[in-house]
Amino acid sequence: MIPELGHFAVILALGVALLQAIVPLLGWRRRDARLLSFAGSAAQGQFLCIAAAYACLTYCFVTKDFSVAYVAENDHSQLPLIYRITAVWGAHEGSLLLWVLILSGWTLAVSVFNRRLPLDMSALVLSVLGMVSTGFYLFILLTSSPFTRLVPAPAEGHDLNPILQDPGLAIHPPMLYMGYVGFSVAFAFAIAALITGRLDAAWARWTRPWTTTAWMFLTMGITLGSWWAYKELGWGGWWFWDPVENASFMPWLAGTALIHSLAVTEKRGLLKSWTVLLAILAFSLSLLGTFLVRSGVLVSVHAFASDPSRGTFMLAFMAVVVGGALTLFAWRAPKLITTGELQLFSREGLLLFNNLFLVIAAAAVLAGTLLPLVLDVLGITKLSVGPPYYNVVFLILIAPLFLLVGLAAVVPWKRGDWRETARRLKVPAIIAVILMVVLPFALHGRTTLLAATGALFGCWAIFAAAQDVWRRVRAKPEWRAGLRAVPRAVWGMTLAHIGLGIWALGVSGVVSFGDEKDVRLARGAETELGGYNFRFQEAGEQAGPNYTAQQGTVLVEHGGKLIATLHPQKRLYPSQGTVLTESSIDAGLMRDLYVSLGESYDDGSWSLRVYYKPMIRFIWLGGIFMFFGGLLAASDRRYRLARAAERRAIEIAEGAVA
Amino acid sequence: MPSDTNTPSSPRRRGPSFASPLHEVQNWIPAFAGMTKRLGAALLVLTLTLLAFPAAAEVETVHSPIPLNEQQEAFYKDLLPELRCLVCQNESLAESQAPLAADLRYEVRGLIAKGQNEAQIKKYLTDRYGDFVLYKPPLAPRTWVLWFGPFILLGVGLGMVFAYARRSRSASSTSAKVVVDQAALKKILDEKAP
């Protein structure tokens, strides 16, 4: 009964979404305020429907209703409760349900927070979001319903893929989807602007906090994914340029470009059509990512071709959304009049270069992700594009961004002054050059070209960003008042740019000085890595809630002192017969010590992988800085003030009419 | 304990190697049916092993690490991440725990010990496994879009940026910001009053 209710709720949501897409459009054509204001109610009704459907599926998982095919495939009677709840998005059908739930959540948020937007604008935004929802509901109902029954019901479920039974992966997909899907709001604003022809500073100011919020979630989602891969996949890597990772990284690059170009459009009224195009691009890349991950095309082009219904639907949907948006763009964009002069050496000029490099970096990732698929589909050849490609091409394309990030906070809008810029950036530049030489030696005792470059770029980004806040604080007579006077948006930008610098320090540190070893150790034997002594003490059995584990004990000593006891495991999940290595990590800000178990031998010895990972935490710390930067920027009181001012203006206007 | 990147292979894979295709191995079983139970069981285990690691059966499986000098070892460590494990979802030879990857690692060590250089080793591998085994795609007409595409795009983009800046400078402009903001405010006011 409950699964049928869930299925019915999805159908109902589809109906409401259709109305939400069509009625406001009619209202806009007829200039009918009642039809326009229907959009908000529809958004709320749609959210109720899909939340109910989602609750139904969660209920099926929690109560282990194996008569539902999707539950039988991804649930198990011994699965801990927390993973029964997260297993809802553990595979294709449930992921899509989460996708539409989040999309509907964003839609609801737009309908609540945008009440004071001009009615036609907010109604059109909701209408576009309704169209996107409609597509996804159809996709679910036609190809991927999670509520399909299985007859006869099996006595036991097939279990959630053990690799997903991890707290990191429990929160990674919702965060990522919040970001992916959040770009749909920017997309909807862009389409609404194209329809109404109103694309001005006010439009940019409405769009900015939404875009920044989506970007912030995407940043966190990617960071969490990287952290999860590091600890769960057992080989200490934090980024592999895997197509699945690229699928989330391309929208991030486009979204990063978008939040910067929105700044230009708001402050200077320039780059209007470019900003709209970027909003379309960011969401298109989100859709592409969903297609790549969800259609199965990455696992095997041929498996995809043998069951093409899902992939075909997704491709067709993408063609409609992207094609429609670009057609509208080609038709309406020429009417967007841009006034004002663009100096290349000005903040907006530098931001334009920032956009150029970010978008082309995204294009390089796109080429590297799609070319192997295309060549394989055409039967030309099978090709791999991996780190050796990206490490050359991608790094060349993003290196200039580090120069720009330092300049950006210092060079003013409209027209920059070389001499003034040099004067203000003298100190950060000197610090960065000194640290370029000193830092690798101080932290690691030696240096490499990469480590020096990373230190230069990272310190330059950090100190140039800090310099801006420092100058603002110094401008006030008293430092506390000075700190308070710095707007949140500036704090946000500064934090995000510092995060970029921290990330660069982490990457260059771990790549230059990380070390690893594969060893076979007998009981009591030891090995040395990065100045640490690893002694393999014993291995024994350990029982988990739904697995049994071989657990090793490794004592780590440094300078004759015991600093950590690690327990790497090799888990057997009997439900699927899967064996997983669970690494054990002694985490520290400056270095991680990482051990994972390999094979056991008849003589009682084990093969072990031991890693020394200096500064790897900086990589995720950078991501966390960017997240909080986004949070501060999105919550700047300027947006709230702007809303309050608009509200007053509207109230006055309405009062005048009444 | 010496540093040994070539993890010793698991004990169950130590045994005679079969170059023959699998079905032939299976066909042998009736021939041995009359033999003692123990041998039959041993053969069954062997067959199952081969079934579990079909690819592994094609290459030498007894690995004692091939010694390399320091320079060769460094070369080996640099080269390995550029080679792809052929049976994994997306892992390099350096990371993969798959038996076939261990075999390929062993092969690569052997080639390095023979004094082959990077190009020779890569040619040896691509002759057998195709470009798929290389994480760095070769420069060929089919990969031009990959290697040159982004930079051509960068050139075009830079040209467009400079052209845009020149055009916008030649167009006369007044103090745009104020005009735009006032227009926006006026619009909001106008359109809210039906």
Side-chain angles (χ1 to χ4, degrees), chain A residues 541-549:
Chain A
E541 294 268 329
Q542 185 90 10
N546 56 344
Y547 59 85
T548 54

Side-chain angles (χ1 to χ4, degrees), chain A residues 498-533:
Chain A
I498 288 177
L500 182 72
I502 292 176
W503 174 85
L505 290 178
V507 172
S508 59
V510 74
V511 172
S512 304
F513 304 110
D515 207 353
E516 60 185 80
K517 222 178 195 183
D518 274 22
V519 289
R520 179 173 162 179
L521 291 182
R523 218 158 274 195
E526 50 185 52
T527 185
E528 190 272 325
L529 186 74
Y532 294 85
N533 214 34

Side-chain angles (χ1 to χ4, degrees), chain A residues 198 242 342 384 386 389 518 601, chain B residues 4 7-8 90 132 146 168 191:
Chain A
R198 185 169 60 220
D242 187 87
L342 184 106
S384 300
Y389 167 76
D518 274 22
Y601 296 90
Chain B
D4 172 22
T7 309
N90 189 6
F132 191 64
L146 210 56
S168 91
E191 291 178 21

